[in-house]
Amino acid sequence: MAESKLLHLFDDQKHYLKSFQTFNSYSAKYAMQETWTNTVLLDNIVPHLPNLDRDKQLRVFGIGSGSGEVDYPFLTALLKKYPIITNRVVEPAEDQIIKYKALVQSKGHELQGVKFDWRQQTLEQYRDTDGVGTKFHFISTIHSMYHVEDVDSSLMYLYDLLEPGGKLLVIILSDQSGFSNFLNRLPGLLKQSLRYISSAHIRRPFEARDIPCVQIHRNSEVDITECFNETSEDGELFRDFLVQLKGFRKTATPSQYKEAMEYLASSECTKKDGRKIVMNNDRDAVIVTKMST
Ligand SMILES: C[S@@+](CC[C@H](N)C(=O)[O-])C[C@H]1O[C@@H](n2cnc3c(N)ncnc32)[C@H](O)[C@@H]1O
């Protein structure tokens, strides 16, 4: 069967960012920050990072850091142990880098000791230009592995960029979530060759190579009632984010749209809470340790 003209959200950066921000405004995404900074970074990563002399810099690498809201608390937490940090960031969206720079400026004194090196590039472009020139003690990719062209090879590349004993942190949608159930069934429902990534895709290449990797699971829910509203702009942006397609209601055939929305409303993806429709949006943090050679 010929594929219909569904447009991928990532092909329109502006629309993607608008729908991502709409999703964030409903999902209380940053409420999880304390868990990521305290339980994941401070309890499970920092104590195991290599010890450095006080005058040596910790090299940190952020992949798809966006506007820096998640990376900035990480940096302030790392500064407590490592007073000198170089933070390289690859982020392809110019407006996100502008926002990140403004955030850094507004937090000036809290980030004293951090030298930033922003690269307006995709990870693939960085790989082509820098190869494995610089090695890092800590690499984080927070909700950005969905976007890379080849997940396995990107992860192994990031692993190669780690110093011995260094840590890679990937935060991503859990394969145990209702959201992931929805995305897994979507290509079949839409009869499209779409690709969606969750934590299982992250663990797989490391487990296959016996590389140590631990996972920390966090529960989360999001009220998605608004995405069933066909008359509001928020509803459209929210829906587009969930399916990761641009203008989904207008570009899908009526039957594709109906099937996808019915499945989304089913108990495999969501639950009813009074008049609300609530989706399980659990996340996983996958921590990988670079083995000493
Ligand atoms: C969902 S946002 C996450 C932003 C931020 N890490 C956060 O958690 O708020 C994904 C980010 O990945 C960036 N991105 C998209 N394609 C990328 C690629 N190929 N390499 C690196 N980053 C990419 C996007 O521009 C966007 O800022």
Side-chain angles (χ1 to χ4, degrees):
M1 181 181 170
E3 298 206 339
S4 53
K5 285 207 186 84
L6 294 171
L7 306 168
H8 209 284
L9 200 55
F10 303 159
D11 294 336
D12 182 337
Q13 265 293 322
K14 258 194 171 153
H15 191 80
Y16 164 69
L17 285 172
K18 263 176 98 176
S19 63
F20 175 54
Q21 278 149 10
T22 306
F23 177 76
N24 282 343
S25 69
Y26 285 85
S27 75
K29 174 183 178 197
Y30 297 116
M32 278 191 153
Q33 183 69 45
E34 214 177 296
T35 300
W36 303 138
T37 309
N38 294 335
T39 315
V40 174
L41 185 72
L42 286 175
D43 294 350
N44 285 281
I45 294 181
V46 172
H48 310 290
L49 283 176
N51 286 319
L52 298 176
D53 294 338
R54 296 284 296 173
D55 61 338
K56 290 263 159 50
Q57 54 176 348
L58 184 81
R59 284 187 299 280
V60 174
F61 193 18
I63 315 301
S65 300
S67 50
E69 272 99 342
V70 181
D71 290 24
Y72 139 71
F74 282 178
L75 292 167
T76 55
L78 287 166
L79 274 172
K80 292 184 187 135
K81 183 169 172 190
Y82 302 99
I84 313 172
I85 295 176
T86 324
N87 181 38
R88 184 169 291 175
V89 175
V90 291
E91 168 51 61
E94 186 184 12
D95 59 336
Q96 294 298 290
I97 294 184
I98 292 170
K99 282 190 181 160
Y100 196 162
K101 288 183 177 171
L103 177 73
V104 170
Q105 211 160 24
S106 72
K107 305 284 180 189
H109 59 290
E110 288 174 51
L111 291 170
Q112 240 168 32
V114 185
K115 196 172 146 231
F116 287 89
D117 171 15
W118 281 283
R119 309 283 181 97
Q120 194 196 330
Q121 285 180 318
T122 61
L123 180 60
E124 293 77 10
Q125 289 164 340
Y126 179 84
R127 187 175 176 167
D128 285 346
T129 52
D130 285 59
V132 278
T134 308
K135 300 266 180 143
F136 299 88
H137 302 101
F138 175 57
I139 301 178
S140 66
T141 143
I142 317 300
H143 295 300
S144 50
M145 275 295 123
Y146 314 109
H147 306 269
V148 297
E149 283 163 18
D150 180 331
V151 176
D152 280 25
S153 114
S154 298
L155 289 169
M156 294 323 294
Y157 170 61
L158 293 178
Y159 182 77
D160 285 343
L161 289 184
L162 285 173
E163 290 281 4
K167 301 273 184 186
L168 166 66
L169 168 65
V170 183
I171 294 178
I172 198 134
L173 182 65
S174 171
D175 54 286
Q176 301 298 315
S177 64
F179 194 174
S180 164
N181 285 350
F182 175 62
L183 294 177
N184 278 334
R185 270 283 294 281
L186 205 54
L189 289 177
L190 303 179
K191 300 186 177 58
Q192 302 283 305
S193 48
L194 297 165
R195 182 196 68 144
Y196 296 106
I197 306 299
S198 62
S199 51
H201 299 92
I202 306 300
R203 295 190 306 272
R204 205 170 294 152
F206 298 111
E207 288 169 352
R209 294 171 176 82
D210 288 328
I211 295 172
C213 133
V214 292
Q215 181 170 292
I216 297 172
H217 181 82
R218 278 294 168 265
N219 297 330
S220 164
E221 287 187 335
V222 53
D223 175 355
I224 64 159
T225 318
E226 185 60 25
C227 83
F228 292 89
N229 182 347
E230 294 183 351
T231 57
S232 76
E233 192 193 5
D234 259 20
E236 183 183 349
L237 290 167
F238 201 162
R239 212 163 38 237
D240 284 2
F241 187 80
L242 292 186
V243 290
Q244 302 277 289
L245 296 166
K246 183 184 170 189
F248 179 55
R249 195 169 76 86
K250 294 182 192 113
T251 49
T253 63
S255 70
Q256 282 177 322
Y257 179 76
K258 183 169 174 283
E259 279 186 64
M261 297 311 280
E262 277 176 6
Y263 183 59
L264 183 59
S266 78
S267 60
E268 281 184 50
C269 309
T270 49
K271 64 179 183 186
K272 303 263 180 325
D273 178 5
R275 297 164 75 108
K276 288 189 207 160
I277 300 175
V278 177
M279 185 176 75
N280 172 306
N281 184 33
D282 289 0
R283 313 288 172 88
D284 288 325
V286 179
I287 304 169
V288 183
T289 304
K290 178 70 177 272
M291 295 190 287
S292 308
T293 42

